[in-house]
Amino acid sequence: MVLRSRIIGCGGYLPDRIMTNDELSGLVDTTDEWITGRSGIRQRHIAAEGELTSDLAVNAAKAALKDAGISVDDIDLIVLATATPDETFPSTATRVQAKLGMTRGAAFDVQAVCTGFIYALTVADNFIRTGQAKTVLVIGAETFTRILDWKDRGTCVLFGDGAGAVILRAGEGEGSTADQGILSTHIHSDGRDHDCLYVDGGPSSTGTSGHVRMQGQEIFKKAVLRLAEVAKEALDHNGLTGADLDWLVPHQANLRIMRGTTKKLGVAEDKLIVTIDRHANTSAASIPLAIADAHGAGKFSSGDLILLEGIGGGLTWGACLLRW
Ligand code: UT7
């Protein structure tokens, strides 16, 4: 029997305030038509003043705990992916640990920007497979709009705030449930591509938080290439093909990139989970938010084969193949 990490619950949280494309067109020289046509984004959620990444994360975590029907006392590890931590230190994960009232176990952050959730899942899955943890809360949470340059129309129209969480539990299935859970994870990075997407600040460089800088077209080209590569790597590793997939849950950065990957994999468009229209790009939160959204809509059935994939600053990219 193989020990696997199974998703036993998931949840998401979006701040109340919604900013439409039309509202944005009052701030920068843009239009709803341009934003929707180029990216698929129609609106984004914006965290309230004083609402921190850890607050969004706690709300998503509570929803995931409720969905799993377990209490915080059952969690022995929190792995939180974010590029917009509450503070330079300590980790946002420890803030979440305290806010949830969790007094045991360990909590730490993982930083891989928009690939952060795939990295966090990879770390959590390895803790479970080696027996170091039994029940892990994996969170992607961002207040990404706080690091936007609201004068740069090339970036400020693309991002939003939010959080998503899943709970992984170690399980050894038998018979039809034998391969339920995470089948494999695949992560990559190439630091030479730093200039494609970065923040022009930080504690050791400028002493300020800085703002997002992006070469959109460069990332676009690399995303199409890298995402197809890593998706194939995950499928090949498990002796599967795109035709075997029931669902594709990509990082929600651009609808054109998402559709391109879907086509390359030979997956029908109705198997693509899309939230970018409503959530925009929420960086590390986009995949767990999309999982929670699809689960809430009753899309996933037991045994469904699901591919998660994403790319982000670093550059970093990765994929995770799992059976629901
Ligand atoms: O999550 C991490 C990974 N990030 C990504 O995957 C992002 C990947 N990149 C993209 O999604 C796309 O490159 C964008 C949506 C960012 C941009 O779409 P594009 O089709 O690559 O547009 P572009 O950058 O080539 O710009 C086309 C034109 C330019 O004008 P000119 O030079 O043709 O006159 C831009 O100045 O659109 C202009 N433009 C805008 N116009 C209206 C750029 N931003 C805007 C805007 N509104 N917000």
Side-chain angles (χ1 to χ4, degrees):
M1 279 193 290
V2 184
L3 185 65
R4 289 199 193 283
S5 314
R6 293 173 164 183
I7 296 183
I8 59 163
C10 61
Y13 174 78
L14 292 156
D16 291 339
R17 163 133 163 72
I18 290 174
M19 185 187 273
T20 62
N21 291 347
D22 280 338
E23 192 180 341
L24 257 174
S25 68
L27 296 175
V28 282
D29 182 15
T30 192
T31 58
D32 174 42
E33 197 190 355
W34 191 96
I35 302 171
T36 309
R38 300 277 174 148
S39 69
I41 297 164
R42 294 184 183 280
Q43 62 174 46
R44 71 282 301 137
H45 290 251
I46 312 275
E49 211 182 317
E51 195 176 29
L52 308 183
T53 295
S54 61
D55 297 320
L56 309 191
V58 164
N59 283 323
K62 283 182 177 166
L65 287 166
K66 190 172 172 206
D67 186 48
I70 63 168
S71 110
V72 72
D73 299 331
D74 297 316
I75 302 290
D76 36 40
L77 178 67
I78 299 176
V79 186
L80 185 146
T82 189
T84 46
D86 290 11
E87 300 162 327
T88 300
F89 80 81
S91 68
T92 301
T94 56
R95 304 274 286 167
V96 170
Q97 183 188 27
K99 287 181 186 183
L100 285 174
M102 178 179 156
T103 51
R104 57 185 278 276
F108 59 87
D109 288 358
V110 164
Q111 157 63 295
V113 204
C114 299
T115 323
F117 186 73
I118 304 270
Y119 270 63
L121 267 188
T122 302
V123 171
D125 182 44
N126 280 301
F127 267 85
I128 285 179
R129 282 178 191 255
T130 56
Q132 260 193 285
K134 189 165 174 275
T135 310
V136 187
L137 173 58
V138 188
I139 307 172
E142 303 277 14
T143 47
F144 219 80
T145 63
R146 300 240 161 91
I147 54 166
L148 295 176
D149 174 354
W150 289 95
K151 291 192 177 73
D152 176 14
R153 67 176 183 172
T155 52
C156 76
V157 303
L158 302 173
F159 296 92
D161 301 331
V166 303
I167 292 163
L168 298 182
R169 173 160 281 176
E172 284 175 317
E174 281 182 67
S176 63
T177 63
D179 68 347
Q180 211 170 29
I182 293 180
L183 302 180
S184 63
T185 57
H186 307 264
I187 56 170
H188 298 276
S189 66
D190 188 343
R192 290 172 300 178
D193 290 326
H194 167 275
D195 292 356
C196 288
L197 180 54
Y198 66 101
V199 164
D200 61 2
S204 153
S205 54
T206 60
T208 58
S209 295
H211 294 112
V212 175
R213 303 295 169 209
M214 184 173 86
Q215 296 169 8
Q217 277 195 12
E218 275 307 301
I219 294 261
F220 194 102
K221 282 186 246 162
K222 289 189 195 284
V224 171
L225 194 75
R226 296 303 195 192
L227 293 174
E229 264 173 22
V230 78
K232 187 171 180 311
E233 180 188 334
L235 290 164
D236 285 354
H237 184 85
N238 293 279
L240 297 163
T241 71
D244 296 310
L245 287 175
D246 293 296
W247 300 101
L248 180 63
V249 188
H251 166 51
Q252 312 274 316
N254 187 307
L255 189 56
R256 289 184 291 149
I257 297 176
M258 290 155 62
R259 285 194 173 136
T261 311
T262 309
K263 209 168 160 191
K264 272 197 177 168
L265 291 174
V267 178
E269 265 225 16
D270 60 352
K271 301 292 184 192
L272 174 68
I273 302 297
V274 177
T275 55
I276 188 167
D277 52 333
R278 291 162 286 141
H279 302 174
N281 181 348
T282 56
S283 182
S286 93
I287 293 175
L289 266 171
I291 292 173
D293 194 76
H295 174 59
K299 289 189 176 167
F300 300 154
S301 303
S302 179
D304 276 0
L305 186 67
I306 304 175
L307 182 70
L308 318 177
E309 42 93 335
I311 185 163
L315 288 181
T316 54
W317 64 100
C320 169
L321 197 62
L322 64 95
R323 238 179 236 292
W324 194 253

